[in-house]
Amino acid sequence: MFRVGIVGCGKIADGHVEQLRAIGRAEVVAVCDREALMAEQLAVRLGIPGRYTDLQQMLQNERLDAVHIATPPDSHLALAKIAFAAGCHVFMEKPFALTEAQAQAIVDVANEAGRKVGVNYLYNFEWPGLELQRLLDAGALGELVHLDTAYGYNLAGDYGLAVMSDPAHWVHRLPGKLFHNVLDHVLAKVVPHLGDEVQTQVCAFRRREPTGNPGVDAMPDELRFLLRSGHLTVSGLVSAHGRPVAHTLRVVGTRDTVELDYAGRTLVRSARQSQPSALGRSFVPWSQGRQFFKNGWRNAGQFRRHEFHYFQCMRVLLDRFYDAVEGKGADPVPQEQIIRVCRVIDQIVEGIGAAA
């Protein structure tokens, strides 16, 4: 059983603790936050014995095998260095780092220490993402032509309200502000299909009315981008205003096209008319309905097996990460993909700055 410590006791830390317990391979023995009340609340809420305000002290006292870092990204490099120096493996909450240079430094330190480093790119391990990978491995889509990804967020939700009401919120410190905190979710799903050289075009703007607070009003809330890597292109939509809040991916191949909905956990092949004339067109909605029925039936089965909760994908990812720590499998998110995600984020953030 791995002995694990959590650094950063915000909302996402609960998910780390709960899913570590669910996989049954790790015991969270301590939590750490520079705000003592945050560490105390998480420890009491989830029954964790150790609570600290200093990472060095936690590492000295608890003999940890792994540290999960769930703090803002501008602290990740410094904390990771301390954890690796203590001989720990590190699992990082996204964004992995503030820049590609910092991401590369974290990976280099991990390799020098001979320890694993992972990142919570959880949606690649949601059922639609796993099924997409199976189809790609089988060559069912042919050569990829284009990917269209959409990700929405709700500024009226708990997290959005916290960001909007507090000009000192850490998100406002990020070079790409709110987008910097969500682009990992968008790019982690498409970057595995891109090469190292990516051309980027960006459009970012604020659609909401001004509040009168310069810090808050400086934050754009709509982003569009276009990426090109060789013959493959990617279009991206990140929106605070589009409804319903989207979390989708459309993958266009030379043989077939599929549409993934991560919120509804569906993957269907795009409509294709297989019979001629108006009669053939009348079959298309029935064919699409049959696909969605099969998706719903599968989801019902996962629900019955207690595999349909919100963080099921994170559970799969963590299981694979600790497999890699034990030498039973490859890194679930390869280091080169982590670096590439951070590089494209840098390029998009530069484009956001140019558009401002």
Side-chain angles (χ1 to χ4, degrees):
M1 185 73 77
F2 292 103
R3 290 175 59 83
V4 175
I6 305 287
V7 185
C9 297
K11 187 176 181 181
I12 192 61
D14 289 55
H16 284 254
V17 176
E18 290 165 358
Q19 299 318 310
L20 282 168
R21 287 175 172 172
I23 65 175
R25 303 170 64 178
E27 179 184 9
V28 179
V29 297
V31 297
C32 177
D33 197 293
R34 65 182 182 181
E35 294 186 29
L37 181 59
M38 295 290 287
E40 179 73 14
Q41 288 178 337
L42 178 62
V44 170
R45 187 164 64 246
L46 296 178
I48 299 167
R51 57 208 69 174
Y52 297 86
T53 57
D54 181 81
L55 175 58
Q56 292 279 17
Q57 187 179 3
M58 181 171 78
L59 292 167
Q60 289 170 7
N61 293 350
E62 300 291 348
R63 297 178 293 105
L64 300 176
D65 300 301
V67 171
H68 286 221
I69 297 177
T71 57
D74 49 1
S75 64
H76 285 186
L77 175 57
L79 294 172
K81 285 181 175 178
I82 295 171
F84 288 131
C88 293
H89 305 280
V90 169
F91 187 82
M92 199 78 79
E93 186 50 53
K94 63 82 192 167
F96 184 78
L98 199 60
T99 63
E100 179 195 359
Q102 292 188 11
Q104 186 65 61
I106 292 171
V107 167
D108 288 346
V109 176
N111 293 338
E112 290 167 6
R115 291 295 180 266
K116 291 292 183 183
V117 60
V119 61
N120 196 18
Y121 292 167
L122 70 173
Y123 294 116
N124 285 8
F125 302 88
E126 197 75 88
W127 180 84
L130 297 173
E131 178 64 6
L132 172 63
Q133 190 58 56
R134 188 190 69 77
L135 293 173
L136 293 172
D137 291 343
L141 305 187
E143 183 181 351
L144 294 187
V145 175
H146 182 75
L147 300 100
D148 180 64
T149 179
Y151 188 84
Y153 55 94
N154 185 3
L155 286 176
D158 291 344
Y159 181 75
L161 288 173
V163 171
M164 292 296 296
S165 62
D166 181 8
H169 193 284
W170 61 267
V171 161
H172 296 293
R173 300 199 306 266
L174 301 178
K177 300 191 180 299
L178 185 61
F179 297 137
H180 213 137
N181 192 40
V182 301
L183 275 171
D184 291 69
H185 286 324
V186 181
L187 295 173
K189 298 192 288 288
V190 301
V191 153
H193 312 293
L194 302 178
D196 285 332
E197 297 297 325
V198 179
Q199 300 173 25
T200 309
Q201 296 179 38
V202 177
C203 174
F205 58 97
R206 192 193 72 221
R207 194 176 193 278
R208 66 186 187 280
E209 295 297 321
T211 65
N213 185 299
V216 174
D217 291 343
M219 183 181 75
D221 51 23
E222 294 288 325
L223 171 67
R224 318 286 182 261
F225 63 81
L226 180 65
L227 311 178
R228 179 183 175 187
S229 178
H231 294 305
L232 179 64
T233 53
V234 178
S235 53
L237 159 70
V238 184
S239 176
H241 300 279
R243 294 294 181 273
V245 174
H247 191 180
T248 60
L249 175 66
R250 187 167 188 261
V251 183
V252 180
T254 53
R255 291 183 181 172
D256 208 348
T257 295
V258 292
E259 298 170 12
L260 292 73
D261 184 332
Y262 291 85
R265 295 184 186 175
T266 60
L267 182 150
V268 297
R269 294 174 186 265
S270 293
R272 181 194 295 262
Q273 184 176 341
S274 57
Q275 302 296 326
S277 74
L279 180 63
R281 287 196 294 275
S282 71
F283 293 153
V284 172
W286 295 101
S287 173
Q288 293 304 99
R290 181 171 177 268
Q291 289 193 71
F292 281 109
F293 177 82
K294 292 174 69 175
N295 275 259
W297 186 254
R298 187 206 59 254
N299 288 350
Q302 291 182 335
F303 185 86
R304 287 196 302 272
R305 296 191 299 272
H306 306 284
E307 297 173 351
F308 201 68
H309 54 84
Y310 185 78
F311 279 134
Q312 174 66 25
C313 49
M314 187 176 176
R315 185 178 301 180
V316 174
L317 170 57
L318 287 175
D319 216 20
R320 295 188 183 188
F321 174 71
Y322 282 97
D323 276 347
V325 169
E326 291 184 328
K328 297 178 180 176
D331 293 344
V333 182
Q335 293 182 354
E336 59 268 25
Q337 288 183 19
I338 298 174
I339 299 299
R340 204 176 299 150
V341 166
C342 295
R343 181 182 307 141
V344 177
I345 289 177
D346 281 358
Q347 294 176 209
I348 292 177
V349 167
E350 183 179 356
I352 293 172

